[in-house]
Amino acid sequence: MAKPKLTLQQRRRIREQRARSSSAPEKDDLLTTLLSSGQLGPEQNGLVVTRYSNQADILFESAPERPLRKCYFRSHLDSLVTGDRVRCRDGEPYGIICSVLPRKSHLERPDNRGNICTVVANIDTIAIVVAPEPQAHTGLIDRYLIASEHHQISPLIVVNKIDQDPQQVERTLNLVAPYKDIGYPVLAVSASSGKGINQLSAQLKDQMSVFVGQSGVGKSSLINTLCPHAAAKVGKLSDASASGRHTTTTADLFPLPGGGNIIDSPGIREFGLLHLEQHQLINAFIEFRPFLGQCRFRNCSHRKEPDCALLEACANGKISAQRLDSFFRISESLKND
Ligand SMILES: Nc1nc2c(ncn2[C@@H]2O[C@H](COP(=O)(O)OP(=O)(O)OP(=O)(O)O)[C@@H](O)[C@H]2O)c(=O)[nH]1
Ligand SMILES: [Mg+2]
Ligand SMILES: [Zn+2]
């Protein structure tokens, strides 16, 4: 990342600071300079729009229409992520972040080394975006729903690209129909034609939402339709599937014109599932709940035991074989992780 341009005076102060404490890292020097400049405004509330290594783009809550301000933060605030609410002081050309307000929710995923790290904070709604192309998979939808349930964040299933081939669209709508039956909200939309966008916009109003889903389903395209000034990067489907990479590479926040914010986030595929216990996993299948604890054996595996309440519910059509199968598969995959 390019370093910020400093005035001569700021450079001189930094050199002086360094001479005094040769071990002090450069970013803290810059922060000290900003603090001692006497030009910072009073503390106020802000929202992290994009996080960089030692700075973040901040939206000041008192002036949401104003351009974003780059603000620096000290290393003790290193866990800062998109969606965090902060106390910050405005300044020209840079402000500073003083502290992070408590999070009401957060989502995590493993980094390249397998360490769990938080990727977004303060989420009210997880919009699970699927499409006829690339083809939707129930296994992935189930994983996102489990994460939503576990973190107590409302999920919303969004079927995008309903302008595509009607047969493929119908297949996708049939695929998500069982989720509607369980009680999950499902919306059918098209970022291209604008169909259903008003309903989606109404559903997301005043919420902090994160859009998740396979690369190429149209998350960024939907955000560009919902937030006219967003200019989120949109990729060609073939590029995304060929490279296996997401076009969107950082978690970015976009304010909704009518209130609320959407976070466009890449690769939150596995969030939150890594440290789930088996009982937490099965509880995340909400339609299983009435039958839990009703099996003859306390340690029932729900696979072949007699008087298994889940198998009976499945045989009676009260829960779907597909969801039960999905539970088994995800349960096995978590054991192997
Ligand atoms: N026909 C049609 N194509 C769409 C629609 N929405 C998006 N697309 C196309 O789908 C492709 C992928 O769109 P993106 O918005 O980049 O998808 P994404 O989900 O953000 O992908 P990543 O950032 O890689 O995770 C682009 O070629 C879009 O033009 C839609 O409603 N209908
Ligand atoms: Mg994208
Ligand atoms: Zn059982």
Side-chain angles (χ1 to χ4, degrees), residues 41-48 58-62 71-73 76-77 80 84-90 95-102:
E43 269 195 28
Q44 54 178 311
N45 284 349
L47 189 59
V48 176
I58 298 293
L59 183 81
F60 284 95
E61 287 183 6
S62 59
C71 293
Y72 281 78
F73 55 85
H76 73 280
L77 299 181
L80 208 71
D84 261 324
R85 295 190 187 280
V86 294
R87 294 287 291 165
C88 46
R89 295 176 67 186
D90 197 6
I96 64 162
I97 300 171
C98 311
S99 58
V100 184
L101 297 174

Side-chain angles (χ1 to χ4, degrees), residues 67-121:
L68 303 175
R69 175 73 77 204
K70 237 175 218 0
C71 293
Y72 281 78
F73 55 85
R74 287 196 197 280
S75 42
H76 73 280
L77 299 181
D78 206 36
S79 60
L80 208 71
V81 294
T82 299
D84 261 324
R85 295 190 187 280
V86 294
R87 294 287 291 165
C88 46
R89 295 176 67 186
D90 197 6
E92 182 67 57
Y94 307 111
I96 64 162
I97 300 171
C98 311
S99 58
V100 184
L101 297 174
R103 289 174 179 157
K104 75 173 181 190
S105 69
H106 67 273
L107 293 173
E108 319 159 307
R109 73 174 154 125
D111 66 10
N112 295 340
R113 295 194 206 126
N115 300 321
I116 303 296
C117 47
T118 299
V119 275
V120 286

Side-chain angles (χ1 to χ4, degrees), residues 219-220 233-234 247-248 264:
K219 300 178 292 295
S220 301
K233 229 190 201 172
V234 168
T247 303
T248 303
D264 189 9

